[in-house]
Amino acid sequence: MTIRAILTLFFFVIVAELVSLAIIIFLMISGQQDLATTEKRRYQAFRIADELRQSSDDLTRMARLYVVTADPIFEEYFRDILAIRNGLQPRPPNYDRIYWDLAVASRERPKHDGVPESLKQRMADLDLSPEELALLVEAQSNSDALVSLENTAMNAVKVQLAQGSQTETETRPSNSELAHSLIFGKEYHAAKASIMKPLDAFLLALSKRMNTSVFQARKALQRNAMTAALLVALTVLTFAAMAMAIGRRVIRPVGALVKQSNAIARGDYGYQVSPGADDELGILARAFNRMSQAVELDISRRTEAESALRESQQELRNSQHLIETILDQMPAHIFLRDTDGRFLLVNSRYEEIYDVDRNDIIGKTIEEVLPKAEAEFFRARDKESIETGRIVEHEIQRNLAGDERVFVSSKFPIRGNGDAVKLIGGVSFEITNLRRSEQIRLRQSKKLEMIGQMTGSIAHDFNNVMTVLSCNIPLLNSQRVSTDKRNELIKDCTEAVGMASNLTKRLMAIARKEPLDKTRVDLNDLLEDLADFLKSSVGQSATIEFSQHEAPLPVYVDTVLVEMALLNLVLNSRDAMPEGGLITVATDVAAVDSATQANWGQTHTGPYAILQVMDTGAGMTSEVKDKIFEVFFTTKEKGKGTGLGLSAVQDLAKESGGFIQIDSEPGQGATVKVFIPLQDVD
């Protein structure tokens, strides 16, 4: 017999036993409920009989009390008892307990808050035998007959009370004696006994029948309990037999198979299991034996294949190492990314340039490795190469250890099966030295061009100085000028000559590459020294005002650059206001945070001094602002400017480690702020 057949047999046997047990338990519960119902009916029947007896006794007592005392309350109680028994009046709550004794003591009438229910109706509702019901009906009929006798006795007393106006000796003795003889005589007691006899017979008949029913119900419960115990024992034996069968037919063979599996796991493929019975596990044991033999054969073949594979893998690793060595030795940084921008390969030069570790970036996207701006730029170039399918070239500028380096990068698509682009490769070579050589040649050519253009236009810058001299010298010859004013004019002329000398030095520095002369100065003092000279330079065509920060502003600058930059800014503001206007030159302090640093590039965080020139002139368009710092760019007519003015302002910011901020709109004037790093203040 197969294991499945054995388990199926046990299953159906256990199910049959459990179903039989459930049926027996149901019969036990049903028998218990029937027994409880029988007990309840017996109790209710006894209560009905007792209430019939009690109501008869209560009627007798109320009638006798009325006959003796003539108190109308007892007649009312008598009528209430009779009305409640006949269902003409609601039964008060707790009526089945000691009721009328308490009512007589308290002299209270019953409350009509119960449910009207006659004694006869309650008898009929009980599941009584015809004989038992007849006995109860007989007892109540006899009680009703006794009520008539009690009514007669009470009426005699009432007649006596109605004749109270006559002589007592003539009327009362006869009616009183009649009432007493009716209520206390032999006839009354005989009638009372006629009530109790059928009640006693009822109780005997009821007890006999109920005792028989209770006995039969309890006997049935005992039978069902014994049957349930036998079924439980049989079920336990069935489970035990099933456990023994499973142990012999399942657990032992499975244990043998587990041992064989452990032997196979240890590499002992010669371990064999006895198939045993011709069942499912026997078939499985034979399959295990065949599998063990097949695995032993397969392992020998796999060992040979793995040896060959290891040799191939070693050759592959050697080739891969050779390729990686070649890539790492190349004087270019190389990368390989998929179309989602994830790095698949980088060489050591790439790690050096971007300050990353290949183990940290392989598998990551451009956005996870590089700053946002660079990542967006490279992502756009990758997209262009993927969409066009062509090589895309572009330049890259990176600051390495404070040195600006330039690279030219070529990105090329790598196609897979189906001609679709799968990967993006890139090779970047450094061209910093080449670019610097080009810039040097360009700078020299610009200088030659500048020197050639100075012939016709440098006079404009010197004219700014000569304006001061031409305005002040005639006044010096005037006899009406006071000594103080004359000294002031001489000072202005001296400063103008000094400015001309400084302009000459700056031009010579441009032509001959003279180094800058940086010194530590207070920007407020420098502005104060230049104030009168700047006023004279502006002349009467515009109004110039000065505002200084209240604290010293120590900076490290070339004073010639500051003077030239400030003079050019003021004169440009004057020329932007041909109809006149206001020029404001001011100094201030600002703190540059990381956000400002990111916006303005090569600046450090911390306090900065601000040299600011504002005017109310015509303002600038965005196109002019984009070109304003280019060498030789000017918006003035030919011969009125060299285009070196604002270039000198940019030189001031660059050489002092600061930056320039310009705020201007057409028709809104212009504000130029030169930010210069503050030195330590004592």
Side-chain angles (χ1 to χ4, degrees):
M1 181 179 263
T2 63
I3 296 174
R4 181 175 182 181
I6 293 173
L7 293 178
T8 303
L9 176 61
F10 276 115
F11 172 76
F12 283 110
V13 170
I14 291 173
V15 168
E17 291 172 347
L18 292 177
V19 170
S20 300
L21 183 60
I23 294 172
I24 293 299
I25 292 173
F26 174 76
L27 292 176
M28 289 176 64
I29 295 172
S30 178
Q32 189 68 35
Q33 292 175 347
D34 292 342
L35 179 60
T37 302
T38 302
E39 294 283 1
K40 182 178 179 181
R41 289 174 179 172
R42 179 169 63 175
Y43 172 74
Q44 290 175 344
F46 278 122
R47 289 283 303 277
I48 291 291
D50 185 66
E51 187 174 334
L52 178 58
R53 179 196 59 78
Q54 183 65 42
S55 64
S56 178
D57 290 345
D58 289 336
L59 288 170
T60 298
R61 184 164 35 135
M62 298 305 168
R64 285 178 174 177
L65 287 173
Y66 180 76
V67 169
V68 173
T69 63
D71 189 342
I73 188 65
F74 297 115
E75 183 186 9
E76 294 175 1
Y77 284 158
F78 182 89
R79 304 300 176 196
D80 288 336
I81 294 170
L82 193 60
I84 291 171
R85 190 172 77 176
N86 293 332
L88 301 176
Q89 189 171 308
R91 293 178 79 244
N94 303 324
Y95 192 67
D96 53 348
R97 300 197 312 212
I98 300 173
Y99 187 83
W100 289 108
D101 290 335
L102 300 176
V104 170
S106 62
R107 312 285 287 184
E108 293 182 357
R109 296 288 302 281
K111 296 179 180 179
H112 303 298
D113 52 0
V115 178
E117 190 175 13
S118 68
L119 196 59
K120 287 184 178 180
Q121 182 61 42
R122 293 172 62 196
M123 292 177 187
D125 292 340
L126 292 175
D127 187 16
L128 300 176
S129 66
E131 179 187 359
E132 294 166 349
L133 184 59
L135 290 172
L136 281 180
V137 171
E138 180 184 355
Q140 185 171 1
S141 299
N142 293 339
S143 178
D144 291 340
L146 185 59
V147 168
S148 299
L149 184 61
E150 290 166 344
N151 278 325
T152 302
M154 288 190 296
N155 288 333
V157 174
K158 289 166 67 175
V159 170
Q160 177 70 35
L161 293 176
Q163 295 175 353
S165 60
Q166 299 178 6
T167 304
E168 260 185 63
T169 57
E170 295 179 357
T171 60
R172 183 170 180 81
S174 59
N175 289 333
S176 175
E177 290 176 359
L178 176 61
H180 278 77
S181 64
L182 291 176
I183 207 72
F184 292 102
K186 291 182 179 181
E187 184 182 354
Y188 185 85
H189 288 292
K192 193 73 173 177
S194 67
I195 298 173
M196 299 305 164
K197 287 180 180 180
L199 279 178
D200 185 58
F202 167 77
L203 293 175
L204 290 175
L206 179 65
S207 297
K208 182 179 179 181
R209 182 173 66 86
M210 288 297 179
N211 288 339
T212 302
S213 299
V214 169
F215 175 76
Q216 292 175 349
R218 288 177 177 173
K219 190 173 182 180
L221 282 175
Q222 291 176 353
R223 284 197 307 269
N224 291 333
M226 290 180 64
T227 305
L230 290 174
L231 284 173
V232 169
L234 183 59
T235 303
V236 171
L237 291 175
T238 304
F239 273 107
M242 183 177 68
M244 292 176 61
I246 291 175
R248 186 171 60 86
R249 299 292 298 273
V250 177
I251 296 177
R252 288 180 185 175
V254 169
L257 291 175
V258 170
K259 289 182 180 180
Q260 186 179 21
S261 299
N262 292 331
I264 293 173
R266 293 192 304 267
D268 183 8
Y269 301 103
Y271 187 91
Q272 298 291 305
V273 176
S274 175
D278 191 16
D279 54 15
E280 293 90 342
L281 290 177
I283 296 172
L284 183 61
R286 285 189 288 273
F288 258 75
N289 292 334
R290 290 194 298 271
M291 180 188 70
S292 179
Q293 295 170 357
V295 168
E296 186 175 14
L297 177 61
D298 182 67
I299 285 178
S300 62
R301 294 174 178 173
R302 184 176 298 178
T303 302
E304 297 174 358
E306 287 178 352
S307 178
L309 178 61
R310 281 193 297 270
E311 293 177 0
S312 300
Q313 289 177 340
Q314 185 60 42
E315 293 178 0
L316 179 61
R317 282 193 294 268
N318 293 337
S319 300
Q320 184 177 357
H321 178 70
L322 178 61
I323 293 173
E324 290 178 353
T325 302
I326 294 172
L327 292 178
D328 287 340
Q329 296 300 322
M330 287 185 66
H333 63 267
I334 300 170
F335 68 86
L336 188 66
R337 291 193 289 261
D338 61 17
T339 54
D340 293 328
R342 298 187 182 278
F343 285 93
L344 303 178
L345 178 146
V346 295
N347 67 345
S348 58
R349 183 62 175 163
Y350 191 96
E351 294 178 301
E352 177 186 348
I353 296 298
Y354 289 95
D355 192 22
V356 295
D357 188 306
R358 69 183 71 185
N359 296 323
D360 295 334
I361 69 172
I362 296 301
K364 293 183 178 180
T365 62
I366 309 176
E367 290 78 8
E368 294 174 314
V369 175
L370 301 178
K372 180 180 180 182
E374 278 190 299
E376 291 178 350
F377 176 79
F378 291 146
R379 176 74 77 173
R381 303 290 80 74
D382 289 356
K383 182 179 180 181
E384 180 181 353
S385 180
I386 293 171
E387 292 178 350
T388 61
R390 292 195 291 268
I391 297 175
V392 175
E393 294 186 351
H394 59 85
E395 287 191 3
I396 306 171
Q397 293 186 356
R398 292 194 63 81
N399 190 296
L400 302 179
D403 187 18
E404 192 74 22
R405 312 285 281 276
V406 183
F407 302 86
V408 59
S409 179
S410 298
K411 294 184 177 179
F412 50 89
I414 301 175
R415 304 181 185 278
N417 296 332
D419 203 36
V421 176
K422 297 296 183 181
L423 304 173
I424 291 292
V427 180
S428 299
F429 293 92
E430 184 175 358
I431 59 170
T432 304
N433 293 333
L434 177 63
R435 186 68 72 224
R436 287 175 179 173
S437 299
E438 292 176 352
Q439 289 177 350
I440 291 172
R441 289 196 297 271
L442 178 62
R443 191 180 300 115
Q444 292 298 330
S445 64
K446 284 187 176 181
K447 286 183 179 180
L448 293 175
E449 181 182 358
M450 178 181 66
I451 292 171
Q453 292 180 353
M454 283 182 182
T455 303
S457 60
I458 197 65
H460 170 72
D461 290 322
F462 276 103
N463 186 58
N464 293 330
V465 177
M466 297 304 297
T467 299
V468 177
L469 297 176
S470 62
C471 291
N472 290 346
I473 290 176
L475 292 176
L476 289 173
N477 293 327
S478 174
Q479 299 297 327
R480 292 177 296 178
V481 176
S482 64
T483 301
D484 293 339
K485 181 64 176 176
R486 188 182 304 276
N487 292 334
E488 182 179 348
L489 294 175
I490 292 173
K491 181 181 178 182
D492 290 344
C493 291
T494 302
E495 290 179 351
V497 172
M499 291 294 293
S501 175
N502 289 334
L503 175 60
T504 303
K505 290 180 180 180
R506 179 59 182 160
L507 293 174
M508 291 176 66
I510 293 174
R512 296 181 302 189
K513 304 181 182 179
E514 289 186 356
L516 299 176
D517 184 15
K518 290 186 178 181
T519 58
R520 179 187 172 100
V521 296
D522 185 347
L523 196 60
N524 286 334
D525 294 342
L526 193 58
L527 179 61
E528 186 176 354
D529 293 340
L530 292 173
D532 293 336
F533 175 68
L534 294 175
K535 287 181 181 179
S536 301
S537 300
V538 170
Q540 302 299 322
S541 61
T543 303
I544 184 169
E545 294 181 353
F546 299 91
S547 174
Q548 295 182 358
H549 190 264
E550 62 272 11
L553 302 177
V555 293
Y556 190 64
V557 295
D558 183 344
T559 56
V560 174
L561 274 181
V562 176
E563 293 170 1
M564 291 301 299
L566 190 56
L567 177 62
N568 278 282
L569 288 174
V570 169
L571 294 179
N572 281 345
S573 295
R574 182 200 63 184
D575 295 341
M577 301 183 295
E579 303 299 328
L582 175 62
I583 302 173
T584 303
V585 182
T587 59
D588 203 347
V589 174
V592 175
D593 55 16
S594 57
T596 307
Q597 180 185 24
N599 291 334
W600 292 98
Q602 305 298 325
T603 62
H604 61 80
T605 59
Y608 278 72
I610 302 176
L611 181 61
Q612 176 176 283
V613 177
M614 296 181 292
D615 64 56
T616 57
M620 291 179 283
T621 63
S622 58
E623 291 80 5
V624 173
K625 284 191 292 184
D626 291 340
K627 298 180 179 180
I628 196 169
F629 293 117
E630 294 181 5
V631 179
F632 307 127
F633 174 77
T634 179
T635 58
K636 300 175 184 178
E637 297 178 7
K638 186 175 181 180
K640 292 188 177 182
T642 62
L644 295 175
L646 290 180
S647 178
V649 179
Q650 188 180 39
D651 288 344
L652 169 62
K654 182 177 180 181
E655 296 297 338
S656 61
F659 58 94
I660 302 174
Q661 183 177 344
I662 297 179
D663 183 14
S664 179
E665 297 292 338
Q668 302 296 321
T671 300
V672 180
K673 294 181 180 180
V674 182
F675 289 76
I676 305 173
L678 270 176
Q679 302 301 309
D680 295 336
V681 181
D682 296 336

